Amino acid sequence: MRTALRTSAVTVALAGAMLLPAAGAAFAAPVTTPRSASAPASDNSRYEGEPVYIGEGLVAVLRNRAEGPEAWIREVGPQWKPGDDYMVRVVTKLDRTLPHDKAKGLDLELTKAASARPVLVVTAADGSATSYPLPAGEAGTDCRVGPVGQEIGAGMSAELYLSELGPKVLLFEAGDGGRGFAQLDRTHPSLPESAGFIARIVNPSSAKPVFEWKTQGGNDTVGRVAFPAFPEGCKPSYAFTDDKPVTKPTTPAPASTPAAVKPQTAGQTSVVPKGPVSAGAELPVETAADTVDTATMTAGAALIAAFGALAASVVLRRRATRG
């Protein structure tokens, strides 16, 4: 008997020892799945380059790769120093199609743009100029013409360019070192009406585009100047189309319509014109209401006549009886 009890106790102990790991696993804290690695940062290689501080809180990011020479002018603030982030707001971009611009009183020009070693020249308001060489690259064909300066009045000036991408106009306003006002090109050839004056490229996709402006009100004439021709050996990247001015269609005057005939209402009586009616003349159309009214009047008259005749016969009979 004691042997049987000892055997059962050992069996229970062994069973408990085997069950403890399973129970511990059941009540243990759940295993946390490691998070996946964070997504890689966005690829900025298209805009990265050699940043140089050019003053007035601006950095020029210089590039010269497959896209050709580029100088991205970005606003970074006056406290910027080499090693700081420069991927911030773009003020303008200079390249072979647009090698000149102005920003915050600085005159910016990408010189020798068609060569393998272009140079960014920054001219301050006091006339001092600083050169920033771009990385070496491959020489290209310079199909750019311009800038061609043009005063357009009201303190505004324009610079005309022509390249394989088409005509382009930069508008500047006086003061603040010639701050850029707007840019016109083939895709946006005209200022909106809210600008307060006219500036547009007429026939922007044709072989002979024209810049047109009017900055004064009243009867002042519209100024016009043609863009220069393409340099020999250069071809545009688009097919020429002879654009035609859009003519607003004139709305024809509405044809006179005969006066509407007022419909007759119930109870109205048709009026027959007096005198002879000429052949073909239209007579008023008798309505159903008129027919009903006429029939009612006829029946009433007949009923009154019948009552009158009956009364007369009664009187005659009385007289005959008395006689």
Side-chain angles (χ1 to χ4, degrees), residues 13-102:
L14 290 174
M18 295 176 64
L19 289 175
L20 279 176
F27 290 98
V31 178
T32 303
T33 304
R35 295 181 180 180
S36 59
S38 58
S42 58
D43 184 12
N44 291 323
S45 59
R46 170 63 182 88
Y47 309 103
E48 291 176 347
E50 179 186 342
V52 292
Y53 187 75
I54 60 175
E56 302 298 333
L58 300 177
V59 157
V61 181
L62 308 177
R63 295 170 44 88
N64 197 359
R65 302 181 186 177
E67 298 82 14
E70 296 177 336
W72 292 76
I73 312 302
R74 297 177 177 270
E75 187 173 19
V76 295
Q79 305 301 323
W80 187 89
K81 59 184 181 298
D84 291 349
D85 182 26
Y86 56 84
M87 303 298 288
V88 289
R89 189 177 76 87
V90 176
V91 177
T92 186
K93 184 191 78 167
L94 305 181
D95 54 20
R96 284 173 177 161
T97 63
L98 183 63
H100 180 247
D101 204 348
K102 298 178 182 179

Side-chain angles (χ1 to χ4, degrees), residues 144-148 160-163 167 207-209 225-231:
R144 174 189 57 85
V145 181
V148 176
L160 278 62
Y161 295 87
L162 189 69
S163 70
K208 296 181 179 180
V225 62
F227 282 83
F230 276 97

Side-chain angles (χ1 to χ4, degrees), residues 213-304:
W213 72 90
K214 182 179 180 183
T215 56
Q216 306 292 340
N219 297 324
D220 283 2
T221 58
V222 175
R224 293 183 180 89
V225 62
F227 282 83
F230 276 97
E232 189 174 351
C234 292
K235 295 182 179 180
S237 60
Y238 54 94
F240 285 148
T241 57
D242 292 329
D243 301 329
K244 297 180 180 179
V246 179
T247 304
K248 294 183 179 180
T250 55
T251 305
S256 58
T257 54
V261 180
K262 187 177 181 180
Q264 294 181 349
T265 57
Q268 286 183 329
T269 304
S270 300
V271 179
V272 179
K274 296 181 180 180
V277 179
S278 60
E282 295 184 359
L283 295 178
V285 180
E286 186 176 359
T287 62
D290 297 334
T291 304
V292 174
D293 292 344
T294 303
T296 303
M297 293 174 63
T298 304
L303 185 59
I304 293 174

Side-chain angles (χ1 to χ4, degrees), residues 111-177:
T111 62
K112 304 178 182 179
S115 71
R117 295 180 178 275
V119 177
L120 173 66
V121 178
V122 179
T123 304
D126 59 3
S128 59
T130 307
S131 298
Y132 302 92
L134 273 68
E138 295 183 2
T141 303
D142 190 0
C143 289
R144 174 189 57 85
V145 181
V148 176
Q150 178 66 53
E151 296 294 330
I152 63 176
M156 301 288 296
S157 62
E159 288 183 353
L160 278 62
Y161 295 87
L162 189 69
S163 70
E164 63 272 17
L165 299 180
K168 184 175 294 185
V169 177
L170 296 183
L171 299 175
F172 300 97
E173 54 183 335
D176 194 20

